[in-house]
Amino acid sequence: MRISFTKMQGAGNDFVVLDETQNRLKLSPAHYRFLADRHFGVGADQILTVRPSPAPGIDFEYVIHNADGAEVEQCGNGARCFARFVRDQGLTDKDTLRVQTLGGVIEPQLTPDGRVTVNMGAPVFALADIPFDPAGTQPLAVGSWQKWPLALAGQAQAATVLVAVVSMGNPHAVQVVDDVDLAPVAAQGPLIEHHPSFPKRVNAGFMQVLDRRHVRLRVYERGAGETLACGTGACAAVVAGIRLGLLDAEVQVQTRGGLLSIAWAGESNNVLMTGPATPVFHGEIVLPDNL
């Protein structure tokens, strides 16, 4: 099967974007893994699919598959690329969209400077809704919130890390570190992702606070490994930092792939994320039949 695609990136988080507004491609998890493969496919952190409106008042449906082929609820950097794609391809003439995702409705807005702002919705703190199972652990109160201890098995020396847990349409575990360059992302990331306290796995964030308006961030993403940027991870990190009393309401998040601006006015308010969305190239690829 030969399909067309667009390669895009947002702060270094890269995507293969597929247009299913006219016909469903009916791809399997193996197809998504092939597309994401950096040696045999196109190469991407996630595969983004554009589908027609599923309901009145909604412009498009936005479907996200990780590099491992699994469908996931949300992708913030992807949402910006999604908005840029549908506008560039002439699928809409709107500057502000309402888009249905597995994690809820989001509202990307294209700005005059070429960046995209996405209303990511309100963060979720109810443990069962993240989901996070606190059985056998006791939280440590910090600021107006708490951190949870996670025992990480499988390391040369057993370690316990303290994480703040929150959902931005997908689950995140954020820990504050002294220096993101020295943080054990490769060692701890997969252990946190697959920790039994997270029944749907989790994105592991490592945040260094520079001052109350600036942080550095690395994220080990569920189903993708460490990426150059993670939009929902940036939102989750800033929300965690605000609730822990470390950050102000507007924060610049420096990822390895670029800069994201995150704003959150506190409880019951939505998180706003602004950043770049850049087309890289268009192409066609033949998907093997024997996957």
Side-chain angles (χ1 to χ4, degrees):
M1 176 171 52
R2 180 184 296 272
I3 66 170
S4 299
F5 68 89
T6 297
K7 179 70 179 286
M8 301 189 72
Q9 62 90 8
N13 201 183
D14 65 336
F15 310 99
V16 169
V17 187
L18 306 176
D19 182 355
E20 289 188 350
T21 55
Q22 300 300 316
N23 298 291
R24 292 289 179 92
L25 297 173
K26 299 180 180 179
L27 302 185
S28 68
H31 287 131
Y32 293 117
R33 289 194 294 271
F34 179 84
L35 286 169
D37 191 287
R38 297 186 184 278
H39 299 286
F40 298 101
V42 181
D45 295 322
Q46 281 92 19
I47 313 300
L48 314 180
T49 303
V50 183
R51 291 180 181 169
S53 168
I58 302 296
D59 295 297
F60 296 97
E61 183 180 11
Y62 164 38
V63 181
I64 308 131
H65 287 84
N66 274 343
D68 65 357
E71 184 177 357
V72 293
E73 305 93 340
Q74 190 58 276
C75 175
N77 288 326
R80 298 197 314 277
C81 289
F82 181 101
R84 174 63 59 196
F85 176 86
V86 296
R87 185 64 180 272
D88 289 351
Q89 296 300 309
L91 299 175
T92 184
D93 59 2
K94 295 181 177 180
D95 289 330
T96 301
L97 304 170
R98 284 178 55 80
V99 179
Q100 180 69 56
T101 74
L102 191 62
V105 176
I106 58 172
E107 297 183 358
Q109 180 178 12
L110 288 89
T111 63
D113 65 4
R115 298 188 300 167
V116 180
T117 295
V118 184
N119 182 335
M120 297 294 293
V124 175
F125 302 113
L127 299 184
D129 295 334
I130 291 173
F132 173 70
D133 181 2
T137 61
Q138 292 293 326
L140 173 68
V142 181
S144 63
W145 205 19
Q146 66 277 321
K147 294 181 180 180
W148 293 89
L150 294 182
L152 303 182
Q155 298 201 125
Q157 293 182 335
T160 297
V161 298
L162 289 170
V163 298
V165 296
V166 59
S167 172
M168 285 303 311
N170 56 356
H172 290 268
V174 181
Q175 60 176 303
V176 179
V177 298
D178 292 332
D179 186 337
V180 289
D181 293 328
L182 301 178
V185 177
Q188 291 187 0
L191 300 178
I192 296 172
E193 176 191 355
H194 294 280
H195 195 280
S197 292
F198 297 97
K200 292 187 177 181
R201 297 185 293 160
V202 72
N203 300 284
F206 300 78
M207 176 176 65
Q208 176 186 352
V209 177
L210 302 177
D211 57 46
R212 295 192 63 85
R213 294 177 60 87
H214 298 86
V215 303
R216 298 176 68 206
L217 180 70
R218 292 171 66 184
V219 180
Y220 191 95
E221 292 197 50
R222 178 183 57 169
E226 185 179 5
T227 56
L228 292 180
C230 176
T232 57
C235 295
V238 170
V239 166
I242 291 171
R243 290 204 76 185
L244 293 171
L246 302 174
L247 300 175
D248 290 340
E250 295 186 15
V251 179
Q252 302 298 305
V253 179
Q254 183 64 59
T255 71
R256 289 193 159 184
L259 190 67
L260 299 174
S261 299
I262 309 297
W264 184 53
E267 305 300 324
S268 301
N269 287 282
N270 294 340
V271 181
L272 301 180
M273 174 187 60
T274 302
T278 306
V280 180
F281 62 87
H282 304 282
E284 291 185 344
I285 187 170
V286 175
L287 300 179
D289 295 326
N290 59 346
L291 292 178

